[in-house]
Amino acid sequence: MDLGSTFFYKYRRFIKTLKIYLLLAGPGLIVMLADNDAGGITTYTVTGAKYGYGLIWFLLLLLPVAYVVQEMTVRLGAVTKRGHAEAIFDAFGSFWGWFSFIDLAFVNWLTLITEFIGMTAALAIFHVPPVVTVVIVSIVMMLMVLQGKYWTWEKIAILFAALNVIYIPAAFLVHPSVVDVLTIGLVPHFPGGFNGTLFFFLMANIGTTIAPWMIFFQQSAVVDKGMKEKDIPWGQVDTLIGSAFTVLVAIFLVVVTGTVLYGVEVESAAQAATIMMTTSPYLGTFIAIGLFNAGFLGAICISLASSWAFGEVFGWAHSLNLKVREAPWFYACYLFALVTAGAVVLIPNAPLVLITLFVQVIAVTLLPAALVFLILLLNNEEIMGKYKNTTLQNIAGTAIVAAIIILSTLYGITTLFPEWLM
Amino acid sequence: MNAKTLFGERVGRVLSGWADTIRAINKKYEKPRITMSPAVKIALMFLRIYLILLVVLLGYKFWTMIQ
């Protein structure tokens, strides 16, 4: 075979593989990019402003953390054909089932409010009134699910997810010193020494990497997509690519704020965008659009995670492949979550900062349980068959889960009692 | 029958419907499917202690806030 034929053969094979991937890609990519939600974007913005490029090496460590946890949901969903809420009820009984379900519904609703806070703050920079943002976002999100096909919803969601990479061109706009990024960013060290504040930032970055809704969302999405055991390798690739993107986006955002706002006291991404608007309108616009998109992506995943969980537990029809008349309660749940969370943001003098802090505290009551159940389910031969965790997967999974539980718990406690850290 | 009584009856029917649904769910998932091996028992015990600790901390925070 000559060189031209070999090249053409390999090219065709690559295109075929890419087509299959694009067909099967979805839950992993969406959940990982949605992981960089409004809260995540704020964390990375503040991290960059506070420590410059100093913690980029730590963000790289989050790639295997996110992958190992979310990959387990792919296998569990594809093998059991059940969402995480239903799987907990079935395996651990009604006490743990109700605990996880009620906690999830509450945490998701509070997190949804924080996404709306991010979206309204981002568009307020362009002088869009919050009420207009809430109404338009709710309408668009309803239209996305009402078309009656999971596949269509997924591809629209991937389009929105692609906007999440807006921070990559934004980083090129600020002309960072590549040498500094590589030498300061990639060498593990604790900028300014290891102290309480730095520890809080490390915990915040870990805390934003894995949220309870992500576990429930991806497992339910895998089930709704109809993925089977044979699709697991594709789901794993999808999750790996998603994990790489989520970390890449976080790093580029840290590069942006680490270059432009290093040393500036910043409390939120919206505030950072407003400051940047005064010096570079393009950059400010990029950051604001990114924040809005992050909130939007988070909102579509979180509201769906709740609706799927309600459907699984109460036995209602719960699929994006069903029309409204076929799954009325599923769509009613979705609408109710959207409307009520949006309405809270519009209440004058609502304690939005308190809600944002409260989310972190409540999330740590659910996250350890969800992660422990995940590991236990993945080790059950009766449930998982040959897809149960291998020894290596267990070592990695247990170590990561233990680290997440310890750090996110400490994060929640220090949010509750900041004076204990100082 | 006045409107108030009618409304009360309807609310009662809805609440009793919900209670029936919850009872049915509890019955369906009465017995955990997972084998209660020592590892599972230890993990569940850890979760119980963890949650009790968190509730105590939240209670303490609430108590210090109202003081």
Side-chain angles (χ1 to χ4, degrees), chain A residues 18 21-36 67 70-71 73-74 150 153-165 213-214 217-218 221-222 225 227 234-247 249 297-298 300-301:
Chain A
L18 189 69
Y21 170 69
L22 289 175
L23 203 70
L24 291 165
L29 204 57
I30 294 168
V31 77
M32 286 300 180
L33 284 167
D35 177 31
N36 289 337
Y67 174 75
Q70 292 301 128
E71 184 272 339
T73 67
V74 176
Y150 172 86
W153 172 86
E154 188 185 83
K155 298 311 162 203
I156 298 170
I158 288 179
L159 273 180
F160 280 114
L163 247 182
N164 204 255
V165 299
W213 66 263
M214 291 171 67
F217 172 85
Q218 191 168 3
V222 162
K225 194 180 170 89
M227 284 176 81
W234 289 103
Q236 289 168 329
V237 171
D238 186 35
T239 308
L240 185 63
I241 292 174
S243 314
F245 265 115
T246 192
V247 170
V249 167
L297 206 53
I300 56 178
C301 293

Short mmCIF file of all heavy atoms in Angstrom, two decimals, chain A residues 18 21-36 67 70-71 73-74 150 153-165 213-214 217-218 221-222 225 227 234-247 249 297-298 300-301:
data_model
loop_
_atom_site.label_atom_id
_atom_site.label_comp_id
_atom_site.label_asym_id
_atom_site.label_seq_id
_atom_site.Cartn_x
_atom_site.Cartn_y
_atom_site.Cartn_z
N LEU A 18 -14.57 9.54 14.82
CA LEU A 18 -15.06 10.84 15.28
C LEU A 18 -16.59 10.91 15.20
O LEU A 18 -17.26 11.41 16.11
CB LEU A 18 -14.43 11.96 14.46
CG LEU A 18 -14.67 13.38 14.96
CD1 LEU A 18 -13.93 13.60 16.27
CD2 LEU A 18 -14.21 14.41 13.93
N TYR A 21 -18.04 8.92 17.93
CA TYR A 21 -17.89 9.64 19.19
C TYR A 21 -18.93 10.76 19.31
O TYR A 21 -19.60 10.90 20.34
CB TYR A 21 -16.48 10.24 19.33
CG TYR A 21 -16.40 11.18 20.51
CD1 TYR A 21 -16.48 10.68 21.81
CD2 TYR A 21 -16.34 12.56 20.34
CE1 TYR A 21 -16.48 11.53 22.91
CE2 TYR A 21 -16.33 13.42 21.42
CZ TYR A 21 -16.40 12.91 22.70
OH TYR A 21 -16.42 13.75 23.79
N LEU A 22 -19.09 11.51 18.19
CA LEU A 22 -20.04 12.63 18.24
C LEU A 22 -21.47 12.14 18.47
O LEU A 22 -22.29 12.82 19.06
CB LEU A 22 -19.96 13.47 16.96
CG LEU A 22 -18.68 14.30 16.83
CD1 LEU A 22 -18.62 15.01 15.50
CD2 LEU A 22 -18.57 15.32 17.98
N LEU A 23 -21.73 10.92 17.98
CA LEU A 23 -23.05 10.33 18.18
C LEU A 23 -23.26 9.94 19.64
O LEU A 23 -24.33 10.13 20.20
CB LEU A 23 -23.17 9.09 17.28
CG LEU A 23 -24.57 8.64 16.91
CD1 LEU A 23 -25.19 9.62 15.95
CD2 LEU A 23 -24.53 7.25 16.28
N LEU A 24 -22.18 9.40 20.24
CA LEU A 24 -22.31 8.90 21.61
C LEU A 24 -21.89 9.92 22.67
O LEU A 24 -22.19 9.76 23.84
CB LEU A 24 -21.49 7.61 21.78
CG LEU A 24 -22.05 6.41 21.01
CD1 LEU A 24 -21.02 5.31 20.92
CD2 LEU A 24 -23.32 5.89 21.67
N ALA A 25 -21.19 10.98 22.23
CA ALA A 25 -20.73 12.00 23.20
C ALA A 25 -21.93 12.72 23.78
O ALA A 25 -22.97 12.82 23.13
CB ALA A 25 -19.82 13.00 22.52
N GLY A 26 -21.79 13.18 24.96
CA GLY A 26 -22.91 13.95 25.52
C GLY A 26 -22.83 14.09 27.01
O GLY A 26 -22.25 15.07 27.51
N PRO A 27 -23.33 13.10 27.75
CA PRO A 27 -23.43 13.27 29.20
C PRO A 27 -22.11 13.69 29.86
O PRO A 27 -22.08 14.62 30.66
CB PRO A 27 -23.85 11.88 29.69
CG PRO A 27 -24.57 11.28 28.54
CD PRO A 27 -23.89 11.81 27.32
N GLY A 28 -21.00 13.04 29.47
CA GLY A 28 -19.70 13.34 30.08
C GLY A 28 -19.23 14.74 29.76
O GLY A 28 -18.78 15.48 30.64
N LEU A 29 -19.36 15.10 28.48
CA LEU A 29 -18.92 16.43 28.03
C LEU A 29 -19.76 17.52 28.69
O LEU A 29 -19.24 18.51 29.20
CB LEU A 29 -19.06 16.48 26.51
CG LEU A 29 -18.19 17.47 25.75
CD1 LEU A 29 -16.72 17.22 26.01
CD2 LEU A 29 -18.48 17.37 24.26
N ILE A 30 -21.07 17.31 28.68
CA ILE A 30 -21.98 18.33 29.22
C ILE A 30 -21.78 18.50 30.73
O ILE A 30 -21.64 19.61 31.23
CB ILE A 30 -23.46 17.98 28.90
CG1 ILE A 30 -23.70 18.04 27.40
CG2 ILE A 30 -24.41 18.95 29.62
CD1 ILE A 30 -25.01 17.45 26.96
N VAL A 31 -21.76 17.37 31.45
CA VAL A 31 -21.66 17.48 32.91
C VAL A 31 -20.33 18.12 33.32
O VAL A 31 -20.27 18.91 34.27
CB VAL A 31 -21.86 16.11 33.60
CG1 VAL A 31 -20.64 15.23 33.51
CG2 VAL A 31 -22.23 16.28 35.06
N MET A 32 -19.27 17.81 32.60
CA MET A 32 -17.97 18.35 32.97
C MET A 32 -17.88 19.84 32.67
O MET A 32 -17.32 20.60 33.45
CB MET A 32 -16.87 17.60 32.22
CG MET A 32 -16.64 16.24 32.77
SD MET A 32 -16.15 16.31 34.50
CE MET A 32 -15.96 14.62 34.87
N LEU A 33 -18.42 20.26 31.52
CA LEU A 33 -18.37 21.69 31.22
C LEU A 33 -19.35 22.46 32.10
O LEU A 33 -19.10 23.61 32.47
CB LEU A 33 -18.62 21.95 29.74
CG LEU A 33 -17.39 21.60 28.88
CD1 LEU A 33 -17.72 21.55 27.40
CD2 LEU A 33 -16.26 22.60 29.11
N ALA A 34 -20.46 21.80 32.45
CA ALA A 34 -21.42 22.45 33.37
C ALA A 34 -20.85 22.52 34.78
O ALA A 34 -21.30 23.31 35.60
CB ALA A 34 -22.74 21.68 33.38
N ASP A 35 -19.84 21.68 35.04
CA ASP A 35 -19.17 21.73 36.34
C ASP A 35 -18.56 23.11 36.56
O ASP A 35 -18.51 23.62 37.68
CB ASP A 35 -18.08 20.64 36.36
CG ASP A 35 -17.28 20.67 37.65
OD1 ASP A 35 -17.85 21.05 38.68
OD2 ASP A 35 -16.10 20.29 37.63
N ASN A 36 -18.12 23.74 35.46
CA ASN A 36 -17.64 25.13 35.55
C ASN A 36 -18.86 26.04 35.53
O ASN A 36 -19.05 26.84 34.62
CB ASN A 36 -16.73 25.45 34.35
CG ASN A 36 -15.40 24.75 34.45
OD1 ASN A 36 -14.98 24.38 35.54
ND2 ASN A 36 -14.75 24.55 33.34
N TYR A 67 -12.53 12.80 36.70
CA TYR A 67 -12.73 11.65 35.83
C TYR A 67 -13.09 10.38 36.61
O TYR A 67 -14.05 9.70 36.28
CB TYR A 67 -11.49 11.40 34.96
CG TYR A 67 -11.62 10.12 34.17
CD1 TYR A 67 -12.44 10.08 33.04
CD2 TYR A 67 -10.97 8.95 34.56
CE1 TYR A 67 -12.62 8.90 32.33
CE2 TYR A 67 -11.14 7.78 33.85
CZ TYR A 67 -11.96 7.75 32.75
OH TYR A 67 -12.15 6.58 32.05
N GLN A 70 -16.73 10.57 38.04
CA GLN A 70 -17.82 10.58 37.05
C GLN A 70 -17.83 9.33 36.17
O GLN A 70 -18.88 8.90 35.71
CB GLN A 70 -17.71 11.85 36.19
CG GLN A 70 -18.00 13.13 36.95
CD GLN A 70 -19.38 13.18 37.59
OE1 GLN A 70 -19.49 13.45 38.77
NE2 GLN A 70 -20.43 12.91 36.85
N GLU A 71 -16.66 8.73 35.97
CA GLU A 71 -16.61 7.52 35.15
C GLU A 71 -17.43 6.40 35.80
O GLU A 71 -18.04 5.59 35.12
CB GLU A 71 -15.13 7.10 34.99
CG GLU A 71 -14.90 5.91 34.08
CD GLU A 71 -14.97 4.57 34.78
OE1 GLU A 71 -14.80 4.52 36.02
OE2 GLU A 71 -15.22 3.57 34.11
N THR A 73 -20.16 6.72 37.39
CA THR A 73 -21.60 6.91 37.12
C THR A 73 -21.96 6.37 35.74
O THR A 73 -23.08 5.91 35.52
CB THR A 73 -22.01 8.40 37.22
OG1 THR A 73 -21.39 9.12 36.16
CG2 THR A 73 -21.64 9.01 38.54
N VAL A 74 -21.01 6.45 34.80
CA VAL A 74 -21.25 5.93 33.45
C VAL A 74 -21.51 4.43 33.52
O VAL A 74 -22.50 3.92 32.98
CB VAL A 74 -20.05 6.23 32.51
CG1 VAL A 74 -20.27 5.61 31.13
CG2 VAL A 74 -19.81 7.72 32.40
N TYR A 150 -34.32 13.41 23.52
CA TYR A 150 -33.11 13.54 24.33
C TYR A 150 -31.95 13.98 23.44
O TYR A 150 -31.18 14.87 23.80
CB TYR A 150 -32.75 12.22 25.02
CG TYR A 150 -31.40 12.30 25.70
CD1 TYR A 150 -31.28 12.79 26.99
CD2 TYR A 150 -30.23 11.96 25.01
CE1 TYR A 150 -30.04 12.91 27.59
CE2 TYR A 150 -28.98 12.09 25.60
CZ TYR A 150 -28.89 12.56 26.89
OH TYR A 150 -27.66 12.70 27.47
N TRP A 153 -31.94 17.65 22.61
CA TRP A 153 -31.59 18.42 23.80
C TRP A 153 -30.09 18.37 24.04
O TRP A 153 -29.44 19.38 24.30
CB TRP A 153 -32.32 17.86 25.02
CG TRP A 153 -31.84 18.51 26.29
CD1 TRP A 153 -32.29 19.68 26.83
CD2 TRP A 153 -30.76 18.08 27.13
NE1 TRP A 153 -31.57 19.99 27.95
CE2 TRP A 153 -30.62 19.03 28.16
CE3 TRP A 153 -29.89 16.99 27.11
CZ2 TRP A 153 -29.66 18.92 29.15
CZ3 TRP A 153 -28.92 16.88 28.09
CH2 TRP A 153 -28.82 17.83 29.11
N GLU A 154 -29.54 17.17 23.90
CA GLU A 154 -28.12 16.97 24.18
C GLU A 154 -27.24 17.78 23.23
O GLU A 154 -26.27 18.40 23.65
CB GLU A 154 -27.81 15.47 24.05
CG GLU A 154 -26.43 15.11 24.51
CD GLU A 154 -26.14 13.64 24.25
OE1 GLU A 154 -25.75 13.29 23.13
OE2 GLU A 154 -26.32 12.85 25.17
N LYS A 155 -27.61 17.79 21.95
CA LYS A 155 -26.78 18.50 20.98
C LYS A 155 -26.88 20.02 21.21
O LYS A 155 -25.88 20.73 21.05
CB LYS A 155 -27.15 18.12 19.54
CG LYS A 155 -26.94 16.65 19.22
CD LYS A 155 -25.56 16.11 19.64
CE LYS A 155 -25.55 14.59 19.71
NZ LYS A 155 -24.53 14.02 20.56
N ILE A 156 -28.07 20.50 21.59
CA ILE A 156 -28.20 21.94 21.89
C ILE A 156 -27.34 22.26 23.12
O ILE A 156 -26.63 23.26 23.16
CB ILE A 156 -29.68 22.33 22.15
CG1 ILE A 156 -30.53 22.07 20.91
CG2 ILE A 156 -29.78 23.81 22.53
CD1 ILE A 156 -32.04 22.21 21.14
N ALA A 157 -27.41 21.37 24.12
CA ALA A 157 -26.64 21.58 25.35
C ALA A 157 -25.14 21.59 25.04
O ALA A 157 -24.39 22.39 25.61
CB ALA A 157 -26.97 20.50 26.37
N ILE A 158 -24.70 20.72 24.12
CA ILE A 158 -23.27 20.69 23.76
C ILE A 158 -22.87 22.02 23.10
O ILE A 158 -21.78 22.54 23.34
CB ILE A 158 -22.95 19.48 22.85
CG1 ILE A 158 -23.02 18.19 23.68
CG2 ILE A 158 -21.57 19.63 22.21
CD1 ILE A 158 -22.76 16.92 22.91
N LEU A 159 -23.79 22.57 22.30
CA LEU A 159 -23.50 23.87 21.67
C LEU A 159 -23.27 24.94 22.73
O LEU A 159 -22.33 25.73 22.64
CB LEU A 159 -24.67 24.29 20.77
CG LEU A 159 -24.64 23.78 19.33
CD1 LEU A 159 -25.86 24.28 18.57
CD2 LEU A 159 -23.37 24.23 18.62
N PHE A 160 -24.15 24.96 23.74
CA PHE A 160 -23.97 25.93 24.84
C PHE A 160 -22.69 25.61 25.62
O PHE A 160 -21.98 26.52 26.04
CB PHE A 160 -25.18 25.90 25.78
CG PHE A 160 -26.35 26.67 25.26
CD1 PHE A 160 -27.53 26.02 24.91
CD2 PHE A 160 -26.30 28.05 25.10
CE1 PHE A 160 -28.62 26.72 24.41
CE2 PHE A 160 -27.38 28.75 24.61
CZ PHE A 160 -28.55 28.09 24.26
N ALA A 161 -22.42 24.32 25.77
CA ALA A 161 -21.21 23.92 26.51
C ALA A 161 -19.96 24.40 25.78
O ALA A 161 -18.97 24.79 26.41
CB ALA A 161 -21.18 22.41 26.69
N ALA A 162 -20.04 24.39 24.44
CA ALA A 162 -18.88 24.83 23.65
C ALA A 162 -18.54 26.29 23.94
O ALA A 162 -17.37 26.69 23.86
CB ALA A 162 -19.16 24.62 22.17
N LEU A 163 -19.56 27.08 24.30
CA LEU A 163 -19.33 28.50 24.61
C LEU A 163 -18.46 28.66 25.87
O LEU A 163 -17.85 29.71 26.08
CB LEU A 163 -20.67 29.19 24.85
CG LEU A 163 -21.12 30.25 23.84
CD1 LEU A 163 -22.44 30.84 24.27
CD2 LEU A 163 -20.08 31.36 23.66
N ASN A 164 -18.45 27.60 26.69
CA ASN A 164 -17.68 27.62 27.93
C ASN A 164 -16.18 27.82 27.68
O ASN A 164 -15.46 28.33 28.54
CB ASN A 164 -17.92 26.30 28.66
CG ASN A 164 -17.70 26.41 30.16
OD1 ASN A 164 -16.70 25.93 30.65
ND2 ASN A 164 -18.61 27.04 30.87
N VAL A 165 -15.75 27.45 26.45
CA VAL A 165 -14.31 27.58 26.16
C VAL A 165 -13.94 29.02 25.76
O VAL A 165 -12.83 29.28 25.33
CB VAL A 165 -13.84 26.58 25.06
CG1 VAL A 165 -14.05 25.15 25.49
CG2 VAL A 165 -14.54 26.86 23.74
N TRP A 213 -25.00 17.10 42.41
CA TRP A 213 -25.87 17.04 41.22
C TRP A 213 -25.18 16.38 40.03
O TRP A 213 -25.84 15.77 39.18
CB TRP A 213 -26.40 18.42 40.84
CG TRP A 213 -25.35 19.40 40.37
CD1 TRP A 213 -24.74 20.36 41.12
CD2 TRP A 213 -24.80 19.53 39.05
NE1 TRP A 213 -23.83 21.06 40.35
CE2 TRP A 213 -23.85 20.58 39.08
CE3 TRP A 213 -25.00 18.86 37.84
CZ2 TRP A 213 -23.12 20.97 37.96
CZ3 TRP A 213 -24.28 19.26 36.72
CH2 TRP A 213 -23.34 20.29 36.79
N MET A 214 -23.83 16.49 39.97
CA MET A 214 -23.11 15.92 38.82
C MET A 214 -23.26 14.41 38.77
O MET A 214 -23.42 13.82 37.70
CB MET A 214 -21.63 16.29 38.91
CG MET A 214 -21.36 17.76 38.71
SD MET A 214 -19.66 18.18 39.10
CE MET A 214 -18.79 17.32 37.80
N PHE A 217 -26.87 13.67 37.82
CA PHE A 217 -27.15 14.09 36.44
C PHE A 217 -26.57 13.10 35.44
O PHE A 217 -27.26 12.62 34.55
CB PHE A 217 -26.59 15.49 36.17
CG PHE A 217 -26.69 15.88 34.71
CD1 PHE A 217 -27.86 16.43 34.21
CD2 PHE A 217 -25.64 15.65 33.83
CE1 PHE A 217 -27.96 16.75 32.86
CE2 PHE A 217 -25.73 15.97 32.49
CZ PHE A 217 -26.90 16.52 32.01
N GLN A 218 -25.28 12.80 35.59
CA GLN A 218 -24.65 11.98 34.55
C GLN A 218 -25.23 10.57 34.50
O GLN A 218 -25.46 10.03 33.43
CB GLN A 218 -23.12 11.92 34.73
CG GLN A 218 -22.46 11.29 33.49
CD GLN A 218 -20.97 11.45 33.45
OE1 GLN A 218 -20.37 11.98 34.36
NE2 GLN A 218 -20.35 10.98 32.37
N ALA A 221 -28.57 10.82 32.83
CA ALA A 221 -28.41 11.15 31.42
C ALA A 221 -27.97 9.91 30.62
O ALA A 221 -28.46 9.68 29.51
CB ALA A 221 -27.39 12.27 31.25
N VAL A 222 -27.08 9.11 31.22
CA VAL A 222 -26.63 7.88 30.58
C VAL A 222 -27.82 6.95 30.35
O VAL A 222 -27.98 6.34 29.28
CB VAL A 222 -25.54 7.19 31.45
CG1 VAL A 222 -25.34 5.74 31.07
CG2 VAL A 222 -24.22 7.95 31.33
N LYS A 225 -30.25 8.46 27.70
CA LYS A 225 -29.65 8.36 26.36
C LYS A 225 -29.74 6.93 25.83
O LYS A 225 -29.62 6.69 24.64
CB LYS A 225 -28.18 8.78 26.45
CG LYS A 225 -27.50 9.04 25.12
CD LYS A 225 -26.06 9.45 25.35
CE LYS A 225 -25.29 9.47 24.05
NZ LYS A 225 -25.36 10.75 23.38
N MET A 227 -27.73 4.37 26.86
CA MET A 227 -26.41 3.75 26.70
C MET A 227 -26.42 2.34 27.30
O MET A 227 -27.02 2.10 28.34
CB MET A 227 -25.33 4.61 27.38
CG MET A 227 -24.99 5.85 26.58
SD MET A 227 -23.84 6.93 27.41
CE MET A 227 -22.30 6.12 27.05
N TRP A 234 -17.06 4.32 25.20
CA TRP A 234 -17.30 5.64 24.61
C TRP A 234 -17.68 6.64 25.70
O TRP A 234 -17.28 7.80 25.65
CB TRP A 234 -18.42 5.56 23.56
CG TRP A 234 -17.97 4.86 22.32
CD1 TRP A 234 -18.28 3.59 21.95
CD2 TRP A 234 -17.10 5.38 21.32
NE1 TRP A 234 -17.66 3.27 20.78
CE2 TRP A 234 -16.94 4.35 20.36
CE3 TRP A 234 -16.45 6.59 21.13
CZ2 TRP A 234 -16.14 4.52 19.23
CZ3 TRP A 234 -15.66 6.75 19.99
CH2 TRP A 234 -15.51 5.73 19.06
N GLY A 235 -18.45 6.17 26.66
CA GLY A 235 -18.83 7.04 27.78
C GLY A 235 -17.60 7.46 28.58
O GLY A 235 -17.50 8.59 29.05
N GLN A 236 -16.65 6.51 28.68
CA GLN A 236 -15.40 6.82 29.42
C GLN A 236 -14.58 7.86 28.66
O GLN A 236 -14.06 8.81 29.26
CB GLN A 236 -14.59 5.54 29.64
CG GLN A 236 -15.25 4.61 30.65
CD GLN A 236 -14.65 3.22 30.68
OE1 GLN A 236 -14.18 2.72 29.66
NE2 GLN A 236 -14.70 2.58 31.82
N VAL A 237 -14.50 7.69 27.33
CA VAL A 237 -13.76 8.67 26.52
C VAL A 237 -14.43 10.04 26.63
O VAL A 237 -13.77 11.07 26.80
CB VAL A 237 -13.71 8.21 25.03
CG1 VAL A 237 -13.13 9.30 24.14
CG2 VAL A 237 -12.88 6.94 24.91
N ASP A 238 -15.74 10.03 26.55
CA ASP A 238 -16.54 11.26 26.66
C ASP A 238 -16.25 11.98 27.98
O ASP A 238 -16.02 13.19 28.01
CB ASP A 238 -18.02 10.85 26.58
CG ASP A 238 -18.96 12.04 26.54
OD1 ASP A 238 -18.57 13.05 25.94
OD2 ASP A 238 -20.06 11.94 27.10
N THR A 239 -16.22 11.19 29.06
CA THR A 239 -15.98 11.77 30.38
C THR A 239 -14.55 12.29 30.49
O THR A 239 -14.31 13.35 31.08
CB THR A 239 -16.24 10.71 31.48
OG1 THR A 239 -17.54 10.16 31.25
CG2 THR A 239 -16.20 11.30 32.87
N LEU A 240 -13.61 11.55 29.91
CA LEU A 240 -12.20 11.97 29.95
C LEU A 240 -12.02 13.29 29.19
O LEU A 240 -11.36 14.22 29.68
CB LEU A 240 -11.30 10.88 29.36
CG LEU A 240 -9.81 11.14 29.46
CD1 LEU A 240 -9.35 11.22 30.91
CD2 LEU A 240 -9.02 10.06 28.74
N ILE A 241 -12.61 13.37 28.00
CA ILE A 241 -12.49 14.61 27.20
C ILE A 241 -13.15 15.76 27.97
O ILE A 241 -12.61 16.87 28.05
CB ILE A 241 -13.12 14.42 25.80
CG1 ILE A 241 -12.28 13.43 24.99
CG2 ILE A 241 -13.24 15.76 25.06
CD1 ILE A 241 -12.85 13.04 23.65
N GLY A 242 -14.31 15.48 28.56
CA GLY A 242 -15.00 16.50 29.35
C GLY A 242 -14.15 16.97 30.52
O GLY A 242 -14.03 18.18 30.77
N SER A 243 -13.51 16.01 31.23
CA SER A 243 -12.66 16.38 32.37
C SER A 243 -11.51 17.26 31.92
O SER A 243 -11.15 18.23 32.60
CB SER A 243 -12.06 15.14 33.04
OG SER A 243 -13.02 14.16 33.23
N ALA A 244 -10.92 16.89 30.76
CA ALA A 244 -9.79 17.69 30.25
C ALA A 244 -10.25 19.11 29.94
O ALA A 244 -9.58 20.08 30.28
CB ALA A 244 -9.22 17.03 29.00
N PHE A 245 -11.43 19.22 29.33
CA PHE A 245 -11.95 20.56 28.99
C PHE A 245 -12.24 21.38 30.24
O PHE A 245 -11.94 22.57 30.29
CB PHE A 245 -13.23 20.43 28.15
CG PHE A 245 -12.94 20.50 26.68
CD1 PHE A 245 -13.17 19.42 25.86
CD2 PHE A 245 -12.44 21.66 26.11
CE1 PHE A 245 -12.89 19.47 24.50
CE2 PHE A 245 -12.17 21.73 24.75
CZ PHE A 245 -12.40 20.62 23.94
N THR A 246 -12.85 20.75 31.24
CA THR A 246 -13.23 21.51 32.43
C THR A 246 -11.98 22.08 33.12
O THR A 246 -11.96 23.24 33.54
CB THR A 246 -14.09 20.66 33.40
OG1 THR A 246 -14.65 21.51 34.36
CG2 THR A 246 -13.34 19.58 34.12
N VAL A 247 -10.91 21.28 33.16
CA VAL A 247 -9.67 21.75 33.79
C VAL A 247 -9.01 22.81 32.91
O VAL A 247 -8.52 23.83 33.41
CB VAL A 247 -8.73 20.55 34.05
CG1 VAL A 247 -7.35 21.02 34.47
CG2 VAL A 247 -9.32 19.67 35.14
N VAL A 249 -10.45 24.90 30.81
CA VAL A 249 -11.20 26.16 30.93
C VAL A 249 -10.85 26.86 32.25
O VAL A 249 -10.60 28.07 32.28
CB VAL A 249 -12.72 25.88 30.84
CG1 VAL A 249 -13.53 27.10 31.27
CG2 VAL A 249 -13.10 25.48 29.42
N LEU A 297 -25.59 26.83 31.69
CA LEU A 297 -25.26 25.41 31.54
C LEU A 297 -25.51 24.66 32.85
O LEU A 297 -26.06 23.56 32.87
CB LEU A 297 -23.77 25.31 31.15
CG LEU A 297 -23.33 24.10 30.37
CD1 LEU A 297 -24.17 23.90 29.13
CD2 LEU A 297 -21.85 24.25 29.99
N GLY A 298 -25.09 25.28 33.96
CA GLY A 298 -25.33 24.69 35.27
C GLY A 298 -26.82 24.53 35.52
O GLY A 298 -27.28 23.47 35.98
N ILE A 300 -29.34 24.23 33.36
CA ILE A 300 -30.05 23.19 32.59
C ILE A 300 -29.74 21.78 33.14
O ILE A 300 -30.61 20.93 33.14
CB ILE A 300 -29.78 23.25 31.05
CG1 ILE A 300 -28.30 23.19 30.72
CG2 ILE A 300 -30.41 24.42 30.40
CD1 ILE A 300 -28.03 23.20 29.21
N CYS A 301 -28.53 21.60 33.62
CA CYS A 301 -28.18 20.28 34.15
C CYS A 301 -28.80 20.04 35.52
O CYS A 301 -29.32 18.95 35.80
CB CYS A 301 -26.66 20.13 34.25
SG CYS A 301 -25.87 20.11 32.66
#
